[in-house]
Amino acid sequence: MNMMLLRKFPICLSRPITINRLCLQFFHGSWDSCSHKYDQSHKASFSNIKFGHLTINNLLNRKTRVSCSTYINERRRHLSFSAAAIVGSMPKNVQPYLKLMRLDKPIGTWLLYLPCTWSISLAAEPGSFPDLHMLALFGTGAVLMRGAGCTINDMWDKDFDKKVQRTASRPIAAGDISQFQSLVFLGGQLSLALSVLLSLNYYSIALGAASLSLVVSYPLMKRITYWPQLVLGMTFNWGCLLGWSAVKGSCDWSVCLPLYVSGIMWTLIYDTIYAHQDKKDDVLVGVKSTALRFNEQTKQWLSGFTVAMMTGLTVTGMSCDQTFPYYIAVALIGAQLTHQIYTLDINSAEDCWKKFSSNRNVGILLFIGIVLGNLWKSQDASTKESS
């Protein structure tokens, strides 16, 4: 019987049959291509083959096909290598701590880390790549400090988070982790971050320690001022100062200060966009943000921040003799932010999240521009020597 079916259906059975393959075939019309070739009696015989409790007739049923689609999507999700999927594959008792660090949502870590890469790259010797050891060290520090900042934020905002649908599932608000457990976990993160900081020079150790007051106080700012994004910008872009000092031993303020200001302007852009997702809930729970402060004038404010950011990056480039690739990157960033602001729909949470997330590409583009601009310096030097 099986050999007869194999002879009658060489296309359908030329490879091992699995439920996944059958679901995909029925979804994408492979059954139709087979049915044109073979008569209805053969199709009927084939349709009675059983796979567990399912038959081919079951699979032809619309509801079962939808179930198969869900099954396939679920399988693909489990096989994906996204941060959320990796966190979801961890032991159940570990997941709340990883989610507390926001390891399932790494965009914040990128936005904290990228300003560090800018200053480390700017501090590299002309014609050289940035220090890979420093990039790795700051990457580790960014993961730990972003995790610590999120832990502090969630400890402060436990009662607020319970009232907002988007944040109600956070581990502390949901009761998955107690305040005491969070405090112990915070101590562990800060201890590891301190070990990273202590591997730097004394100037950088003092400079890094000074940022802790911003990390602790930022979550309180939304209760006090409509400008918490400004304080976040000061916190998230501290790496503009620290990266340079870690390589050079101290800050060159003609380079670091305009870079730091540019980073703050950048944070005001992307975090104002982010805050528009929660503005209705923020009004209900009584917290403040630049999204509520700017409201319908948001695009005008963001355009002003973009001009300030471009100015700061230009001054930074001039202060450290950057070259053509750097300024190309700055111009592309200006174009990307302009498009981002022009097409922004502040009343669409989905669009706000999409625009917010795209800022990782902005930071990476500047990093690439700095590296290429620095490598270009050696070519310029060779040209001047030959002339």
Side-chain angles (χ1 to χ4, degrees):
M1 174 63 180
N2 289 339
M3 292 301 297
M4 290 176 64
L5 285 173
L6 282 170
R7 285 194 296 271
K8 291 175 181 177
F9 298 94
I11 296 174
C12 296
L13 297 179
S14 59
R15 289 178 292 179
I17 295 178
T18 65
I19 289 295
N20 281 16
R21 187 182 302 286
L22 285 167
C23 291
L24 286 169
Q25 286 178 347
F26 286 119
F27 250 137
H28 297 293
S30 296
W31 173 259
D32 293 334
S33 63
C34 289
S35 63
H36 285 307
K37 292 180 178 294
Y38 305 102
D39 59 34
Q40 290 298 316
S41 61
H42 290 155
K43 181 177 175 181
S45 299
F46 186 71
S47 66
N48 289 323
I49 296 174
K50 289 187 176 181
F51 297 89
H53 66 284
L54 294 176
T55 67
I56 299 303
N57 282 331
N58 294 141
L59 292 173
L60 287 170
N61 179 272
R62 184 177 181 276
K63 290 183 179 179
T64 308
R65 289 167 68 178
V66 171
S67 298
C68 286
S69 174
T70 305
Y71 172 78
I72 292 167
N73 290 335
E74 187 70 14
R75 289 285 294 170
R76 286 173 177 168
R77 186 179 68 82
H78 284 303
L79 292 173
S80 70
F81 292 97
S82 67
I86 292 171
V87 169
S89 67
M90 294 292 109
K92 293 293 184 183
N93 59 338
V94 174
Q95 288 185 32
Y97 293 96
L98 301 181
K99 290 178 179 178
L100 184 60
M101 293 180 70
R102 307 288 198 276
L103 289 184
D104 57 327
K105 298 175 181 177
I107 180 63
T109 304
W110 277 106
L111 296 175
L112 177 62
Y113 175 54
L114 285 166
C116 306
T117 69
W118 303 342
S119 59
I120 291 171
S121 303
L122 285 168
E125 292 298 319
S128 301
F129 285 100
D131 189 325
L132 294 180
H133 173 70
M134 281 295 175
L135 289 175
L137 203 63
F138 274 74
T140 304
V143 171
L144 292 168
M145 287 307 298
R146 196 258 178 145
C150 290
T151 302
I152 294 170
N153 182 78
D154 287 7
M155 291 174 71
W156 281 119
D157 290 354
K158 179 185 69 171
D159 295 330
F160 286 145
D161 287 344
K162 290 178 181 179
K163 301 174 184 177
V164 178
Q165 184 178 359
R166 188 178 63 82
T167 58
S169 61
R170 287 179 177 174
I172 299 177
D176 297 329
I177 301 177
S178 68
Q179 286 280 53
F180 177 74
Q181 289 173 318
S182 303
L183 186 61
V184 172
F185 185 56
L186 174 63
Q189 292 175 87
L190 291 176
S191 297
L192 291 173
L194 179 61
S195 67
V196 172
L197 184 62
L198 291 176
S199 67
L200 306 179
N201 56 63
Y202 290 123
Y203 184 98
S204 299
I205 291 171
L207 187 63
S211 69
L212 193 59
S213 60
L214 290 170
V215 174
V216 174
S217 63
Y218 160 68
L220 294 174
M221 293 298 108
K222 67 186 76 171
R223 297 164 170 81
I224 300 170
T225 175
Y226 280 100
W227 291 84
Q229 280 70 27
L230 177 60
V231 182
L232 180 69
M234 295 167 64
T235 308
F236 258 50
N237 293 281
W238 201 259
C240 292
L241 312 177
L242 193 58
W244 181 282
S245 72
V247 176
K248 296 289 191 179
S250 62
C251 284
D252 181 345
W253 294 105
S254 66
V255 176
C256 294
L257 191 57
L259 183 66
Y260 183 52
V261 172
S262 296
I264 293 172
M265 295 299 107
W266 183 45
T267 302
L268 281 166
I269 294 167
Y270 67 67
D271 208 60
T272 297
I273 294 172
Y274 181 88
H276 270 286
Q277 296 178 103
D278 299 329
K279 56 189 175 184
K280 293 180 181 177
D281 291 321
D282 287 347
V283 171
L284 291 175
V285 299
V287 298
K288 301 176 175 67
S289 71
T290 48
L292 295 176
R293 170 67 179 81
F294 303 154
N295 205 359
E296 295 302 320
Q297 282 74 49
T298 290
K299 291 190 176 185
Q300 291 91 315
W301 280 94
L302 297 187
S303 298
F305 296 146
T306 300
V307 171
M309 180 184 178
M310 294 300 100
T311 302
L313 291 176
T314 302
V315 172
T316 299
M318 294 171 65
S319 298
C320 58
D321 301 320
Q322 268 296 338
T323 54
F324 183 68
Y326 173 84
Y327 294 105
I328 289 293
V330 171
L332 291 174
I333 288 169
Q336 204 276 351
L337 289 175
T338 300
H339 178 265
Q340 189 180 130
I341 294 165
Y342 180 75
T343 60
L344 174 65
D345 181 357
I346 60 173
N347 296 312
S348 168
E350 182 181 354
D351 188 59
C352 287
W353 173 258
K354 182 180 177 182
K355 296 295 195 303
F356 165 74
S357 300
S358 70
N359 278 278
R360 179 183 62 175
N361 299 333
V362 172
I364 291 173
L365 179 58
L366 182 57
F367 170 68
I368 293 172
I370 293 170
V371 172
L372 294 179
N374 204 42
L375 294 174
W376 193 284
K377 289 180 183 179
S378 61
Q379 183 177 336
D380 283 356
S382 301
T383 304
K384 289 178 182 178
E385 287 177 3
S386 61
S387 61

